[in-house]
Amino acid sequence: MEVVVLDDSAAVASLAADTIEDVVRRRAAANTAAVLGLATGSTPLATYEELSRRTRDDRGPSYAGVVTFNLDEYVGLPDGHEQSYLATIRREFTDAVGVPPERVHGPDPTEETLPSAGERYEAAIEQAGGIDVQILGIGSDGHLAFNEPGSSLASLTRIKTLTATTRRDNARFFGSPDAVPRHVLTQGLGTITRAGHLLLLATGEGKADAVAAAVEGPVSATCPASVLQLHRHVSVLLDEAAASRLVRLDYYREVYADKPDWQGI
């Protein structure tokens, strides 16, 4: 796990955007499709905005051949609801950079086929060749996607019941906690850790305790994000506030400052 502490949220977004563009360009040069795992929520927005700005300025790569998979989806929203994660990711990112709509995927919350939704999503990711780089945020309680504390570290895509805390956290998008759906389909922690590169983004003091538990605490289902410690290629991009509870902060700064330029993240 590489921990990179940057000056502010803009620097986090810029480095994350560089990483994603590098994957897209390398895959295009090899005539293969880049497969991106996308997270919704507040933290990745700055990265999506930076990638969109570069595309508008004709400095970004072509996304015409990119395939994307969302981390999760609400269950029970009407078709086309503006707060569905598929609609959100298209609005906030994929439409702006030119990913064809048919190449943008999320778990299928259709009620009639809900029992097989997780299995079908796992198969779709596998058929695409697996996810090259997975963007992640972290919840204030250490959850990844909608894998709440107590989730199996080996879990796969499945239906989950949201806790009252998570529903309160998401109420800002719906107007009230009561309007937030009680169930979601989410990639499991086992699904997430199959991706080639995990890119965890965290900004703000409100994420500092969760980041410290995930990075420096024990690997435990109590902090689902701690499973990242077991992955072969994880980059944790933090602003100063999100990094403020890390015990080994000086060490992370020293290692990143002395890193060879060719190595990337």
Side-chain angles (χ1 to χ4, degrees), residues 71-73 75 107-109 114 117-118 158-159 183-187:
L71 277 175
D72 34 42
E73 185 57 272
V75 173
D108 178 12
L114 197 56
R158 68 218 185 281
I159 193 167
H183 296 97
V184 292
L185 285 162
T186 184
Q187 286 189 36

Side-chain angles (χ1 to χ4, degrees), residues 230-252:
L230 303 177
H231 195 272
R232 63 194 178 279
H233 188 188
V234 181
S235 302
V236 181
L237 308 188
L238 309 171
D239 67 0
E240 295 280 355
S244 61
R245 304 284 198 279
L246 292 171
V247 173
R248 295 187 291 276
L249 183 55
D250 290 341
Y251 167 76
Y252 303 134

Side-chain angles (χ1 to χ4, degrees), residues 27 84 86 111 121 156-157:
R27 283 294 198 176
S84 77
L86 198 59
E111 184 176 356
Y121 202 54
L156 301 180
T157 304

Side-chain angles (χ1 to χ4, degrees), residues 20 40 54 61-62 65 78 109 123 135 144 146 174 185 198 243 250 262:
I20 293 162
T40 50
R54 295 180 187 186
S62 170
I135 301 169
L144 283 184
F146 280 117
F174 288 86
L185 285 162
L198 303 180
D250 290 341
W262 53 264

Side-chain angles (χ1 to χ4, degrees), residues 5-25:
V5 182
L6 300 158
D7 290 340
D8 52 30
S9 59
V12 170
S14 181
L15 184 55
D18 290 345
T19 304
I20 293 162
E21 287 189 338
D22 180 63
V23 170
V24 173
R25 288 190 170 101

Side-chain angles (χ1 to χ4, degrees), residues 13-260:
S14 181
L15 184 55
D18 290 345
T19 304
I20 293 162
E21 287 189 338
D22 180 63
V23 170
V24 173
R25 288 190 170 101
R26 283 192 287 106
R27 283 294 198 176
N31 293 314
T32 57
V35 183
L36 305 180
L38 303 179
T40 50
S42 301
T43 304
L45 275 178
T47 298
Y48 299 148
E49 290 168 359
E50 175 64 13
L51 289 165
S52 300
R53 184 181 63 80
R54 295 180 187 186
T55 297
R56 290 194 302 272
D57 294 344
D58 292 325
R59 296 192 295 114
S62 170
Y63 290 83
V66 168
V67 177
T68 71
F69 288 92
N70 285 359
L71 277 175
D72 34 42
E73 185 57 272
Y74 287 115
V75 173
L77 292 179
D79 286 346
H81 193 286
E82 65 177 2
Q83 292 304 331
S84 77
Y85 284 137
L86 198 59
T88 298
I89 208 66
R90 285 174 172 164
R91 182 173 63 246
E92 293 177 348
F93 178 51
T94 58
D95 284 354
V97 298
V99 180
E102 67 274 11
R103 299 173 78 88
V104 179
H105 305 288
D108 178 12
T110 303
E111 184 176 356
E112 293 76 14
T113 57
L114 197 56
S116 65
E119 185 177 323
R120 286 184 284 114
Y121 202 54
E122 293 284 334
I125 293 171
E126 184 176 357
Q127 186 175 5
I131 292 170
D132 292 308
V133 58
Q134 174 66 62
I135 301 169
L136 297 166
I138 184 171
S140 57
D141 60 358
H143 72 254
L144 283 184
F146 280 117
N147 295 282
E148 305 278 10
S151 294
S152 166
L153 301 183
S155 54
L156 301 180
T157 304
R158 68 218 185 281
I159 193 167
K160 290 287 288 183
T161 301
L162 297 184
T163 65
T165 298
T166 299
R167 293 177 69 231
R168 282 196 300 270
D169 287 347
N170 287 1
R172 65 189 186 278
F173 301 114
F174 288 86
S176 74
D178 289 340
V180 180
R182 293 183 178 275
H183 296 97
V184 292
L185 285 162
T186 184
Q187 286 189 36
L189 297 172
T191 311
I192 290 168
T193 53
R194 288 175 180 171
H197 183 189
L198 303 180
L199 194 61
L200 178 65
L201 315 179
T203 58
E205 189 175 0
K207 299 298 177 72
D209 287 333
V211 166
V215 172
E216 297 181 337
V219 176
S220 167
T222 301
C223 178
S226 66
V227 74
L228 302 185
Q229 295 180 37
L230 303 177
H231 195 272
R232 63 194 178 279
H233 188 188
V234 181
S235 302
V236 181
L237 308 188
L238 309 171
D239 67 0
E240 295 280 355
S244 61
R245 304 284 198 279
L246 292 171
V247 173
R248 295 187 291 276
L249 183 55
D250 290 341
Y251 167 76
Y252 303 134
R253 294 186 194 279
E254 180 181 356
V255 169
Y256 185 65
D258 291 340
K259 189 174 184 178

